[in-house]
Amino acid sequence: MIKAEEGYTFIESLFQLIVFVTFAHLFVLFLLWKAPIEQHYTNMSDGAWELFALDLQASIIDVKEFNVHLGGRGIRFITDRGQIDIGQSNSVVRKMIDGQGHVPFLTDVYSAYFTLNAPVLSVTVTMQDGTRKERDFAVGFNSK
């Protein structure tokens, strides 16, 4: 009595090896793609700085009066919304409207300095991790 048994053939093993190698290459390509993307998007300090820059520029577009105060540690300006103060309080750069509120603009700040060379506001911020960020902003004075 001879039984016909079908076993695992060499062709089947080659096919499975090809499938495995293909998936292994895709996995390696994914890891090579993931590393720079992860590095780029995990630096939250850069993202927070860019959001701060956008918010600050939007705030100083239409001002009636603009002053740097607190020895360069803050700015005060008057708009249609009222008197707005932006300055450092502990490790936060915050915004107050008419002396009320505490809207955080930027966190983890070691020091923040503002200098005005009309119509350009220069901001220099040193973060808690020691990185230093600088940016110039255009102050939009309202002639009314």
Side-chain angles (χ1 to χ4, degrees):
M1 300 190 63
I2 299 177
K3 246 181 170 180
E5 293 184 17
E6 292 185 25
Y8 194 67
T9 65
F10 181 69
I11 300 295
E12 290 173 331
S13 65
L14 283 178
F15 178 73
Q16 287 188 349
L17 182 64
I18 290 171
V19 170
F20 173 75
V21 169
T22 302
F23 280 110
H25 278 95
L26 290 175
F27 182 71
V28 169
L29 286 174
F30 172 76
L31 290 178
L32 290 174
W33 169 81
K34 179 182 174 265
I37 297 296
E38 190 175 66
Q39 181 181 9
H40 181 72
Y41 286 110
T42 55
N43 191 350
M44 297 306 287
S45 175
D46 289 339
W49 171 253
E50 292 302 322
L51 288 174
F52 165 75
L54 287 171
D55 286 343
L56 181 59
Q57 185 61 66
S59 296
I60 61 174
I61 286 178
D62 190 20
V63 300
K64 297 175 183 173
E65 186 179 316
F66 194 94
N67 296 310
V68 175
H69 68 102
L70 301 173
R73 311 257 319 168
I75 56 175
R76 174 175 288 160
F77 52 96
I78 298 174
T79 66
D80 293 335
R81 295 185 67 191
Q83 177 179 298
I84 299 175
D85 293 302
I86 297 175
Q88 183 179 357
S89 174
N90 297 323
S91 65
V92 177
V93 174
R94 68 178 181 169
K95 173 182 174 181
M96 295 186 333
I97 300 174
D98 291 328
Q100 306 223 345
H102 180 90
V103 178
F105 257 28
L106 187 62
T107 58
D108 295 329
V109 174
Y110 179 73
S111 66
Y113 293 102
F114 302 87
T115 53
L116 179 64
N117 295 323
V120 176
L121 172 69
S122 298
V123 180
T124 304
V125 174
T126 304
M127 305 301 284
Q128 294 282 356
D129 63 1
T131 58
R132 184 177 172 174
K133 300 184 183 292
E134 297 180 33
R135 179 86 43 104
D136 290 336
F137 300 92
V139 179
F141 288 101
N142 185 346
S143 61
K144 293 180 186 178

